[in-house]
């Protein structure tokens, strides 16, 4: 099924000059970029986005990290996009993430782990609605779509 998922390039990704490299991985995979914008996240929106973590001892450091510089918010579309992107992301701790995953390639930390990606189709819908409005989306038909998927996969 064609799905949409949220990818947030975290502040350290921008600071380290890795944004283009990470975006390129998703492009080359064959996912379709349908929305993208920069933003400075606030503690308020982070308390929604990371509601499952607000009581954890590391939460203040997480907020500090996520507000230290702008982020790049993006929405990627494709067949099973949520699972595909999550698998490409790798384990939360970059030191344990499999080689070849984005976290496995580009980070050494459990907190400074380069990207956020939605962990289920249900959460992808909630998260995309949190960060994007309808007019942020630019749906488009790729002339290469037949080279990305067979029609019977769609
Ligand atoms: N995090 C952290 N320490 C932990 C667990 C999580 O600093 O022990 C941070 C880390 O940046 C992670 C984010 O909180 O990406 C969200 O945690 P979650 O468990 O949802 O991991 P993710 O879905 O990002 O892999
Ligand atoms: Mg998560």
């Amino acid at each position: 099924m064609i799905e949409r998922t949220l990818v947030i390039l975290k502040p350290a990704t921008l600071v380290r000059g890795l944004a283009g490299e990470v975006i390129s991985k998703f492009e080359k995979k064959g996912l379709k970029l349908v929305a993208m914008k920069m933003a400075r996240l606030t503690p308020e929106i982070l308390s929604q986005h990371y509601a499952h973590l607000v009581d954890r001892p590391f939460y203040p450091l997480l907020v500090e990290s996520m507000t230290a510089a702008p982020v790049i918010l993006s929405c990627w579309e494709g067949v099973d996009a949520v699972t595909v992107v999550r698998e490409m992301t790798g384990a939360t701790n970059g030191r344990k993430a499999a080689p070849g995953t984005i976290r496995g390639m580009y980070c050494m930390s459990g907190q400074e782990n380069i990207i956020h990606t939605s962990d289920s189709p249900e959460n992808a819908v909630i998260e995309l609605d949190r960060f994007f409005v309808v007019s942020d989306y630019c749906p488009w038909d790729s002339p290469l779509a037949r080279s990305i998927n067979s029609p019977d996969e769609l």
Side-chain angles (χ1 to χ4, degrees):
M1 191 161 84
I2 295 181
E3 296 173 345
R4 288 179 171 182
T5 193
L6 174 71
V7 175
I8 304 176
L9 306 187
K10 295 187 176 187
T13 312
L14 202 61
V15 169
R16 291 177 57 199
L18 290 171
E21 188 127 351
V22 174
I23 292 164
S24 175
K25 299 289 179 211
F26 295 120
E27 279 189 301
K28 288 175 183 167
K29 178 68 173 170
L31 290 150
K32 188 195 284 183
L33 182 62
V34 294
M36 177 171 270
K37 63 183 180 183
M38 291 181 74
R40 192 90 181 204
L41 298 185
T42 62
E44 289 70 31
I45 203 161
L46 285 166
S47 68
Q48 300 168 27
H49 179 66
Y50 285 140
H52 58 301
L53 299 173
V54 290
D55 296 327
R56 301 291 289 276
F58 60 81
Y59 186 71
L61 288 175
L62 179 59
V63 173
E64 181 193 320
S65 163
M66 291 297 291
T67 57
V71 297
I72 297 175
L73 300 155
S74 59
C75 176
W76 296 85
E77 189 179 274
V79 176
D80 301 333
V82 176
T83 305
V84 168
V85 167
R86 191 74 180 167
E87 297 273 313
M88 290 174 71
T89 301
T92 302
N93 186 330
R95 294 192 300 280
K96 296 179 180 160
T101 63
I102 288 167
R103 286 171 172 167
M105 283 187 282
Y106 297 121
C107 66
M108 282 291 286
S109 168
Q111 183 158 96
E112 299 299 341
N113 57 6
I114 300 294
I115 52 176
H116 166 84
T117 56
S118 303
D119 63 8
S120 68
E122 298 72 29
N123 282 339
V125 170
I126 293 166
E127 292 179 351
L128 287 167
D129 285 348
R130 176 173 296 129
F131 291 106
F132 289 109
V133 295
V134 172
S135 59
D136 288 329
Y137 291 97
C138 299
W140 55 292
D141 290 322
S142 168
L144 298 185
R146 181 64 183 89
S147 301
I148 302 291
N149 287 110
S150 166
D152 64 3
E153 293 177 303
L154 303 177

